[in-house]
Amino acid sequence: MNILLVGAGLSGAVIGRRLAEAGHAVTIVESRDHVAGNCHTERDTDTGVMVHIYGPHIFHTDDEGVWEYVNRFATFMPYKNRVKTTSGGQVFSLPINLHTINQFYGKTLRPDEARAFIEEQADTSIEDPQTFEDQALRFVGPDLYDAFFKGYTIKQWGVQPSELPASILKRLPVRFNYDDNYFFHKFQGMPEDGYTAMVERILDHPGIEVQLNTRFTRAMGEGYDHVFYAGPLDGYFDYELGRLGYRTLDFERFTYDGDYQGCAVMNYGEQSVPYTRITEHKHFAPWETHDGSVCYREFSRECAPEDIPYYPIRQVREKALLADYVALAEQTRRVTFVGRLGTYRYLDMDVTIREAMTAAETFLEKGAETPAFVAAPL
Ligand code: FAD
Ligand code: UDP
């Protein structure tokens, strides 16, 4: 069959590869001038550093099948994400761990003592936290919440943490030992020559044709047996019901002669600092040596129509609108909506790849009867 894929990010690449290997003819249209979507990496011409152009990307997963898959197309170098945060004139370790707690309170608590101490700070009257703020107050108490979460979250999301769901904070653990690994997944690493080289290898198959600088229009889908669409869900319908809200990011690039901050990611917990974090890209490749350095200050703001959508907002208004778009999509024949934009969800790379694998297998089983969504957006 002839298949059209919209978007040459991880979703499009993984689906395209599987369908091409199964003998289908795959065309991928991509509006940007490069593949790999938001994972795109590029060597900086001034410094030679590999830059994560759309923000820092660390590969981490518990999914052995996905780990095997990415290792087929890239050599993964050992990498552990160790994030620091600046607040109140000091640098602390994240996620909140025993070091953070002892430093913050000027104590030398052992694990059990720290657990009991934090439980004393926590607001135990909150039984079933629904909001970000309640989740923080329940699990770390007001001091740590104010220092590390409140200001950062207001900057990141543009609303009060009391208006955000608890699920956003649940992504971050609190540890009562000195483990400062940001993720707790079994596998973690960084592709040796960047994510774009990995995606290029996934796409390197005689059954796949990639057309860059090509924006999808619905008319394009007509000559194909099936379309997999990894662009924005509302965009497919020309925003006819309104726009799903996103946060976008602005990156302010600067170079430094030497080592600017000594780590890859430094967060800024206070609202008075206008950016959320600074990424120093050379620290993502500790196996390389570079004298110069390139850093990105990261600012978050509301996404306007011409901006790149990064984080889906998924508050009450968006969820209602999303339900309407899902209903429209479900009436659309021979189109499957995939990926972080097609399903309007925050998806890590490993989940994106797993869902793309499932979408491809579903298509190989059901053909044109493949549903609009293989992974439910609601
Ligand atoms: P995308 O990468 O967005 O690809 C979609 C592609 O479709 C894009 O290339 C776009 O240009 C193209 N497109 C859109 N509309 C059209 C159209 N109309 N016509 C043609 N082409 C179109 N995940 C992790 O696992 N670890 C991390 O550390 C991590 N960090 C992240 C940091 C940030 C700041 C963000 C925003 C995300 C992060 N992620 C991370 C998530 C990761 O970026 C996603 O999992 C991944 O990009 C999803 O791939 P995708 O193919 O679904 O979407
Ligand atoms: N967060 C925070 N302070 C930090 C880091 C994260 O308040 O120093 C909050 C913020 O609201 C963020 C959420 O925790 O959106 C999840 O953090 P994560 O590091 O997973 O953010 P992402 O990778 O999505 O940018």
Side-chain angles (χ1 to χ4, degrees), residues 31-32 215 232 234-235 238-239 242-250 301-310 317 341:
S31 54
R32 294 175 180 171
R215 182 166 289 281
D234 50 358
D238 299 324
Y239 308 99
R243 281 184 180 263
L244 290 166
Y246 278 95
R247 300 291 288 173
T248 191
L249 301 175
D250 295 318
R301 63 176 167 81
E302 195 181 334
C303 186
E306 65 280 5
D307 295 325
I308 298 173
Y310 281 92
R317 185 197 83 87
L341 298 169

Side-chain angles (χ1 to χ4, degrees), residues 259-272:
D259 187 355
Y260 179 72
Q261 62 183 19
C263 64
V265 179
M266 174 68 75
N267 290 358
Y268 286 83
E270 286 155 322
Q271 211 183 332
S272 54

Side-chain angles (χ1 to χ4, degrees), residues 90-121:
Q90 286 192 69
V91 176
F92 296 92
S93 159
L94 281 184
I96 291 179
N97 62 67
L98 195 46
H99 204 159
T100 325
I101 295 165
N102 276 332
Q103 182 187 350
F104 188 82
Y105 288 103
K107 292 186 182 292
T108 55
L109 301 172
R110 292 185 299 106
D112 290 346
E113 294 167 343
R115 198 182 288 276
F117 177 76
I118 291 297
E119 191 63 14
E120 278 167 30
Q121 314 302 311

Side-chain angles (χ1 to χ4, degrees), residues 94 132 148-149 152-153 156-157 168 171-172 182 267 311:
L94 281 184
F132 184 109
F148 300 132
F149 298 134
Y152 188 99
T153 296
Q156 172 77 358
W157 294 100
I168 295 180
R171 295 212 285 262
L172 297 186
Y182 204 68
N267 290 358
Y311 292 96

